[in-house]
Amino acid sequence: MGRIGRYFLYLLLALFAGIAAGLAYVRFQPGMAFEYMERLARQFGSISENPFRNFVWIFLNNARVALLVVVAGLFFGVGSGFVIFANGFIVGLVVGVLKEEGIPVKTLILGLVPHGIVEIPAILLAGAAGMCWYRRIMESEDKGKGLKEGALQALRLYIVVLLMLLIAAFIEAYITPNVAGL
């Protein structure tokens, strides 16, 4: 397995750890979890009746997160893991709160899986790109050259990530609501 594959697996573990932490937070601090969920809902606003508007918003938000994850990799190679852990925490928190609110587990799964199959690997790939960029800089004797080469590799991977996020946003805006009955 190559470097990108190893980083991808490390980041997948960070995501799962974040999800577990978010679920535990709901279990052990339900009042604070519900308050945090309300703040998130206010921050993100309501879902539009217009699927195209949702598609654009979802894509732009996820592209921003993916770019943050790439750049965070430059922080000693571990910044991507922190951002992905935090996003996993939010997923765990949202799932935990919605489950406590009585949303059936089947609905939660159908609300996450269709687009998550594409979106999660895209975000993890963005993190692996950032970690590879940092590694390229550190391994290069000429740090400027390593910075440029790593940036080009990260940019190529980020373009792939953007294409994956376009697909995921389409699924989330047009297919997930119908499949999950939302």
Side-chain angles (χ1 to χ4, degrees), residues 32-94:
M32 293 176 69
F34 278 79
E35 285 178 32
Y36 188 65
M37 177 76 169
E38 288 174 0
R39 276 186 271 152
L40 283 174
R42 281 193 304 272
Q43 178 183 348
F44 288 110
S46 61
I47 296 171
S48 172
E49 293 290 324
N50 182 333
F52 182 74
R53 182 176 287 162
N54 292 333
F55 164 75
V56 170
W57 186 88
I58 291 164
F59 172 72
L60 292 176
N61 182 62
N62 288 339
R64 179 187 58 81
V65 169
L67 183 59
L68 173 64
V69 171
V70 170
V71 173
L74 293 174
F75 290 95
F76 310 107
V78 297
S80 297
F82 288 118
V83 175
I84 287 174
F85 177 89
N87 277 275
F89 179 86
I90 291 170
V91 169
L93 180 103
V94 169

Side-chain angles (χ1 to χ4, degrees), residues 9-10 34 52 57 65 86-87 89 94 118 124 136 152 162-163 165 174-175:
L9 289 177
Y10 297 151
F34 278 79
F52 182 74
W57 186 88
V65 169
N87 277 275
F89 179 86
V94 169
V118 180
L124 297 177
R136 180 74 60 114
L152 284 174
L162 289 177
L163 293 173
L165 292 176
Y174 289 98
I175 297 170

Side-chain angles (χ1 to χ4, degrees), residues 16-181:
F16 286 144
I19 292 170
L23 290 168
Y25 188 71
V26 172
R27 178 158 170 81
F28 296 112
Q29 296 291 329
M32 293 176 69
F34 278 79
E35 285 178 32
Y36 188 65
M37 177 76 169
E38 288 174 0
R39 276 186 271 152
L40 283 174
R42 281 193 304 272
Q43 178 183 348
F44 288 110
S46 61
I47 296 171
S48 172
E49 293 290 324
N50 182 333
F52 182 74
R53 182 176 287 162
N54 292 333
F55 164 75
V56 170
W57 186 88
I58 291 164
F59 172 72
L60 292 176
N61 182 62
N62 288 339
R64 179 187 58 81
V65 169
L67 183 59
L68 173 64
V69 171
V70 170
V71 173
L74 293 174
F75 290 95
F76 310 107
V78 297
S80 297
F82 288 118
V83 175
I84 287 174
F85 177 89
N87 277 275
F89 179 86
I90 291 170
V91 169
L93 180 103
V94 169
V95 167
V97 166
L98 292 176
K99 185 175 177 295
E100 290 296 317
E101 289 284 314
I103 304 294
V105 172
K106 178 183 174 186
T107 302
L108 294 172
I109 291 170
L110 291 174
L112 291 173
V113 170
H115 68 277
I117 288 173
V118 180
E119 184 178 308
I120 290 170
I123 298 297
L124 297 177
L125 182 60
M131 294 169 79
C132 285
W133 187 4
Y134 173 77
R135 188 67 176 232
R136 180 74 60 114
I137 294 167
M138 292 298 105
E139 290 176 347
S140 179
E141 289 188 28
D142 178 353
K143 300 300 181 203
K145 183 178 178 185
L147 177 72
K148 289 177 190 174
E149 289 174 352
L152 284 174
Q153 180 186 21
L155 179 60
R156 283 192 295 270
L157 288 172
Y158 185 68
I159 290 169
V160 172
V161 166
L162 289 177
L163 293 173
M164 292 172 73
L165 292 176
L166 269 173
I167 294 166
F170 178 84
I171 294 168
E172 189 170 358
Y174 289 98
I175 297 170
T176 296
N178 295 322
V179 170

